[in-house]
Amino acid sequence: QVQLVESGGGLVQAGGSLRLSCAASGRTLSGYTVGWFRQAPGEEREFVASMHWSSGTSYYADSVEGRFTISRGSVNNVVYLQMNSLNPEDTAVYYCAADRAFSPGNYAYWGQGTQVTVSS
C-alpha cells in the first residue's frame, strides 16, 4: 500500500512558478511510475506528466511541455513537479498518482490533491 500526499500548491500570478511535491509513505517509489494529473472546475481530470522512477523515463502533456518538469527527489519517496511560466489555464487541483506498471492505464494509488490557482 502506498499513501501519497501532495503539497506546494497555492496562488501565483501569471508567469510565476510553483513546485509541487508528492511524498509517499508505506513504500518507496523505486520501481513505480508516478504521474501528475489535474482537474479544473467543471472539467475532466487530465494527464500532466509522468515518470518511471527506475528508468527516469518521463512524459508530458503537450500543454505543459517545456514549462513543467517532473523529477525525483534525493530519497526514494518524493517526486516533484516544477511548474514555470504558469498561466490561468493551469488553475486546477493537482493530484499525484503511483502504479507499479511502467505505463499505467489506471493508477492504483492517488493523493488527495493540492490546489493551484494562477491569477491573470
Side-chain angles (χ1 to χ4, degrees), residues 1-5 22-27 29 77 109-111:
Q1 191 76 4
V2 177
Q3 293 82 42
L4 302 173
V5 178
C22 175
S25 60
R27 299 182 69 93
L29 292 174
N77 68 339
Y109 307 103
W110 291 84

Side-chain angles (χ1 to χ4, degrees), residues 67-109:
R67 299 188 299 125
F68 291 11
T69 303
I70 188 170
S71 63
R72 295 172 289 197
S74 59
V75 294
N76 289 346
N77 68 339
V78 180
V79 171
Y80 300 105
L81 184 69
Q82 178 67 43
M83 306 186 297
N84 299 327
S85 302
L86 286 161
N87 58 62
E89 291 70 38
D90 295 315
T91 295
V93 178
Y94 283 71
Y95 300 89
C96 70
D99 196 275
R100 291 285 293 179
F102 182 83
S103 183
N106 294 292
Y107 284 74
Y109 307 103

Side-chain angles (χ1 to χ4, degrees), residues 33-36 47-52 56-60 70 102 107:
T33 294
V34 179
W36 284 96
F47 170 80
V48 175
S50 67
M51 184 184 70
H52 184 255
T57 302
S58 60
Y59 298 97
Y60 295 91
I70 188 170
F102 182 83
Y107 284 74

